[in-house]
Amino acid sequence: MMMVLLAVVAITLLVLAVATIMRLSAVPAPGDSRPELPRRRSAAEEEVRRRFAAGELTEVEYIEKLAILRMDDEQDQP
């Protein structure tokens, strides 16, 4: 009985090792790319974040101001 248990454990470890090796050696699909790096925050956005952290802005005001800043950034980009 102990030999059967040992054989099951050995086979399980072998399958896990093969699966791990296959996953690590897999080539990503052509359309896959790494996610973009986080963008740098503007000075205005940092100020809004600071004011929210200090409790000067409510959550709604914070979200509204961030949305306005991001819309302005999108309009500035070509």
Side-chain angles (χ1 to χ4, degrees):
M1 184 69 178
M2 191 65 146
M3 292 297 286
V4 172
L5 183 61
L6 186 61
V8 168
V9 170
I11 291 172
T12 303
L13 290 175
L14 182 63
V15 168
L16 285 173
V18 169
T20 302
I21 291 171
M22 288 178 62
R23 185 163 188 189
L24 290 176
S25 66
V27 177
D32 277 352
S33 63
R34 294 180 182 224
E36 294 181 19
L37 294 175
R39 62 182 184 81
R40 293 185 48 83
R41 296 184 187 123
S42 66
E45 192 172 345
E46 287 294 334
E47 177 64 18
V48 170
R49 288 179 183 274
R50 185 200 62 77
R51 290 181 58 203
F52 177 66
E56 298 173 16
L57 296 175
T58 65
E59 187 174 356
V60 172
E61 292 171 328
Y62 170 72
I63 292 170
E64 287 174 347
K65 290 182 184 297
L66 279 184
I68 291 168
L69 288 172
R70 289 185 180 154
M71 286 190 309
D72 289 344
D73 286 345
E74 288 175 1
Q75 289 175 356
D76 293 342
Q77 295 176 353

